[in-house]
Amino acid sequence: MEFFIQNASLIILFPLWISVLIFIGKFAGVLKSKKIVFGLTLLSSIFGLIFSIPLFALIAASSGYVYENTFNFLCVNDFSMELGILLDLTSVFMLLIVYAVTLPVQIYSYSYMKNDDGFIRFFALMNFFTFAMCGLVSSPTLFQTYIFWELVGTSSYLLISFWYKKTAAANAGKKAFVMNRIGDCCLLAGIIISSVILFNFAGLPDLADIPYSSIDRVAACLFTYTSEPIFIILCILLIFGSIAKSAQFPLHTWLADAMEGPTPVSALIHSATMVAAGVFLISRLYPIYYQSVFVMNFILAIGLFTAVITAIFAIVCKDIKRILAYSTSSQLGIMFMALGSGALTGGMVYLASHAFIKSMLFLCAGIIMTLYAGKTSLEIFGGLRRKIPVLAFVFLIGAFALSGILFSGFSAKTLIFHHLLETHSYYIIAVLLIISFMTSFYIFRMYFIVFESSLKNDTSKNLSYAMLIPVIVICFVVLVLGFFLPRMAEIKFEIIPVSVELCAVIFAYICYVKIPKLPKIPVLYNLAYNGFYIDDIYTFAVKHIYGNLCSFANYVDDVVFDGVVVLTVFLAKLNSWFSSKFQTGLVQSYICYSVVIIAMLLTGFCLIYSLVAYFAEV
Amino acid sequence: MANLIFNITLYHYLILALLLFAIGLAGVILSKNILKVLISAEFLLSAVNINFVAFAFFADNVNLTGFIFSIFTVAVGAVELAVAVAIFYLMYKNKKSVDINEYKELKG
């Protein structure tokens, strides 16, 4: 068993090798067969899954066992940066989730992308993403986390704008990249500030690269050697990195647009793994945030606010993939809230259950899309249950799990509710109940419209069973995961959220099946449909405020800085024009100048000499 | 007054040389004809020679340095004149003119 731990770095590096192999093979023109590419990909994923299961079992069984293997990557005087691998419960947990979601999604993408020109590029990028994600979750220091954080962002950008010839996809990729960049800048600033504090003020060069293995000491030092406001600013900078990655409130707008990418990408990156990296980072730096009540409340408030508004957006959204994207934002908000309220285990368990549920729902959405030639508008679907009962059943399981009525979603939500009850945070429970209500409402709205309403636009296309099998596999994981999650013994409180969620299901049934032509709430509907105009506010800010600032800067550049240059040139020209007038070409004038100058010099010397003589005499 | 005119001192020679130098300089600067410029340059040389001899006579008549130096100057002046006349002849062949305003190729 020691073998698995000793060679754990293989499962991080293997996808990278495969990815590089596919890229080189593609550019050399050797690798043309789609089957070989898919086989290589499958090899790396299966290898990873087989490796990560015993890893998880081993480390979960031995409580508190941590394996760390690092090498010195960068060394400047006393400062040294370590790269390597850290295996503790959190990282092997995340590794297992990553590989357990990656493998079915990759099998699914083979059928999904079969007729695409970019098939080979797609699988190379998917492998690269797997490498980056595994490196991110198993990094021993915050510096390495940042490196892989950027790699994950890059592969996300490349996969969102995978169909780069589509303007919408290219723009969505750019938007995701820029939005993430805001967060990444904040994160980098936070890392550098904390590193400087630890290195210069605390005088601990061995902690300057912020190793997770001694994060408690780091947290204590950071708190001791800073004043309260500085510490809060530092934490908020670090949190902003997570906010951008996990699509939380001020920077949540990129996730819905990221749905322009291929559906397997949405299932793997933008619901299960990459967006969870923000939550993962918060759990890694938890001891730092835990020092300050304000910071914890900040995480809590961001999570709650995002969960509420994105749930509202999901209720009115008309695009199946965007509904799921908003739902992802909302669920990640719940995780933020759980972490902010102190339920670390609850948040991480929720992350695991959500990863499987959401990737399954996305894969279902992808199957529906292939039946309708890539269309995603909710209005064209209807009555699919009679056509594909298996898919409807799977989706129903996902919907029940997501809303927290049954299965893994129920167990995870119970953990969070239990923690909130223990800490007597009744207001948060109230808000969480509202969020749960909205969650089950929007997911069952989608279910009822797509599967239960009257059959519309019958398609002749047949369902590909190669795509259905991975979905069923994840569905099975969702069904059984609930039994493996840590459970609370004996709480009666579970009745309340479940009944609230069931009410929402019945409400959705009434709204979308019994009385389909329900009037819309006038003002709120438009507000929510346009995402509270947050995108428009950003556009306005960029276009008008920032644009005007730019044109002002341009004006200043043109007038002041270029003006100085132009003036200098003009003066030089004037000077040369003036002095060139002395060059008459006549020898006589030159003699004249020399006579005048010699006379002046002699006069000057005489004057100075006589003055010196006079003062010497005096 | 008579004493001032007939009792010849160093200053008389210096003033004579100065006047001669000024005339020569004016001639060099103001003449239009290149030959006139050459002749005026000879005035400058003469003025310097007068200075040499005058200083040699009044200040130091033992070593004869000043006298001998002025002889050298005359010789150098003669050589210079020969070369200058040759150059001016060639210039004249180019331009067919002795007007100094024609020779403006150095104009900036």
Side-chain angles (χ1 to χ4, degrees), chain B residues 49-67:
Chain B
N49 268 341
I50 288 170
N51 264 9
F52 269 127
V53 174
F55 277 119
F57 183 76
F58 282 100
D60 170 33
N61 47 11
V62 182
N63 284 334
L64 302 180
T65 322
F67 298 111

Side-chain angles (χ1 to χ4, degrees), chain A residues 401-456:
Chain A
L402 184 73
S403 46
I405 299 172
L406 292 169
F407 314 126
S408 60
F410 167 76
S411 319
K413 219 169 223 172
T414 310
L415 278 178
I416 296 176
F417 271 120
H418 179 74
H419 183 272
L420 291 176
L421 270 179
E422 272 186 346
T423 51
H424 307 288
S425 340
Y426 298 113
Y427 295 112
I428 301 170
I429 289 179
V431 181
L432 195 56
L433 284 176
I434 295 169
I435 296 166
S436 302
F437 182 83
M438 288 194 288
T439 307
S440 20
F441 183 76
Y442 64 68
I443 199 67
F444 276 96
R445 163 180 180 261
M446 186 171 157
Y447 173 77
F448 286 132
I449 289 179
V450 175
F451 291 100
E452 294 291 341
S453 57
S454 53
L455 193 66
K456 283 182 275 187

Side-chain angles (χ1 to χ4, degrees), chain A residues 271-531:
Chain A
S271 66
T273 48
M274 188 196 85
V275 286
V279 179
F280 167 77
L281 186 68
I282 288 188
S283 81
R284 273 290 193 217
L285 301 178
Y286 205 65
I288 299 180
Y289 303 144
Y290 203 74
Q291 304 280 337
S292 160
V293 180
F294 181 85
V295 173
M296 293 299 276
N297 285 338
F298 179 75
I299 300 173
L300 184 97
I302 287 281
L304 271 187
F305 189 67
T306 314
V308 171
I309 60 165
T310 45
I312 294 173
F313 300 159
I315 288 174
V316 295
C317 193
K318 282 182 179 161
D319 178 315
I320 50 170
K321 280 184 79 180
R322 286 174 88 95
I323 291 175
L324 293 176
Y326 282 132
S327 155
T328 307
S329 259
S330 177
Q331 301 298 308
L332 288 164
I334 293 176
M335 291 169 216
F336 265 60
M337 181 227 76
L339 293 181
S341 66
L344 185 57
T345 324
M348 292 311 279
V349 167
Y350 201 85
L351 190 159
S353 79
H354 170 257
F356 292 106
I357 298 166
K358 193 53 66 65
S359 57
M360 186 183 96
L361 290 176
F362 262 114
L363 296 183
C364 289
I367 293 176
I368 299 168
M369 278 168 63
T370 50
L371 292 177
Y372 285 89
K375 294 207 176 58
T376 52
S377 176
L378 203 55
E379 282 154 359
I380 63 163
F381 306 124
L384 278 176
R385 184 170 63 90
R386 260 142 283 168
K387 198 166 159 49
I388 338 164
V390 184
L391 190 65
F393 185 64
V394 168
F395 196 95
L396 193 63
I397 289 171
F400 271 120
L402 184 73
S403 46
I405 299 172
L406 292 169
F407 314 126
S408 60
F410 167 76
S411 319
K413 219 169 223 172
T414 310
L415 278 178
I416 296 176
F417 271 120
H418 179 74
H419 183 272
L420 291 176
L421 270 179
E422 272 186 346
T423 51
H424 307 288
S425 340
Y426 298 113
Y427 295 112
I428 301 170
I429 289 179
V431 181
L432 195 56
L433 284 176
I434 295 169
I435 296 166
S436 302
F437 182 83
M438 288 194 288
T439 307
S440 20
F441 183 76
Y442 64 68
I443 199 67
F444 276 96
R445 163 180 180 261
M446 186 171 157
Y447 173 77
F448 286 132
I449 289 179
V450 175
F451 291 100
E452 294 291 341
S453 57
S454 53
L455 193 66
K456 283 182 275 187
N457 299 315
D458 196 9
T459 51
S460 54
K461 280 195 181 176
N462 278 321
L463 186 65
S464 142
Y465 283 93
M467 284 162 89
L468 205 53
I469 289 163
V471 183
I472 291 168
V473 169
I474 302 188
C475 179
F476 181 70
V477 175
V478 171
L479 284 175
V480 298
L481 190 65
F483 300 108
F484 292 105
L485 295 178
R487 255 171 307 165
M488 294 299 135
E490 301 272 328
I491 348 175
K492 301 283 183 288
F493 183 75
E494 286 161 15
I495 310 291
I496 300 173
V498 170
S499 54
V500 164
E501 286 146 8
L502 280 173
C503 280
V505 176
I506 295 161
F507 189 49
Y509 181 74
I510 293 169
C511 287
Y512 294 99
V513 182
K514 286 282 158 193
I515 327 165
K517 298 279 175 227
L518 213 66
K520 291 160 182 163
I521 309 167
V523 181
L524 196 63
Y525 177 81
N526 276 333
L527 258 179
Y529 187 71
N530 292 305

Side-chain angles (χ1 to χ4, degrees), chain A residues 40-54:
Chain A
L40 284 172
T41 310
L42 219 54
L43 190 69
S44 81
S45 316
I46 291 173
F47 178 76
L49 191 60
I50 288 174
F51 235 87
S52 51
I53 289 170

Side-chain angles (χ1 to χ4, degrees), chain A residues 580-581 583-592 595, chain B residues 25 28-31 37 100-101 103-104 106-108:
Chain A
S580 77
K581 288 296 141 198
Q583 306 286 329
T584 55
L586 282 172
V587 185
Q588 287 168 323
S589 50
Y590 299 145
I591 296 172
C592 235
V595 168
Chain B
L25 200 61
V28 166
I29 291 170
L30 298 173
S31 305
V37 172
I100 200 157
N101 286 335
Y103 302 100
K104 278 188 176 174
L106 284 176
K107 187 177 165 66

Side-chain angles (χ1 to χ4, degrees), chain A residues 178 537-554:
Chain A
V178 171
I537 293 167
Y538 288 162
T539 315
F540 177 82
V542 170
K543 215 179 228 169
H544 291 95
I545 300 171
Y546 181 66
N548 284 344
L549 205 67
C550 284
S551 48
F552 175 71
N554 188 26

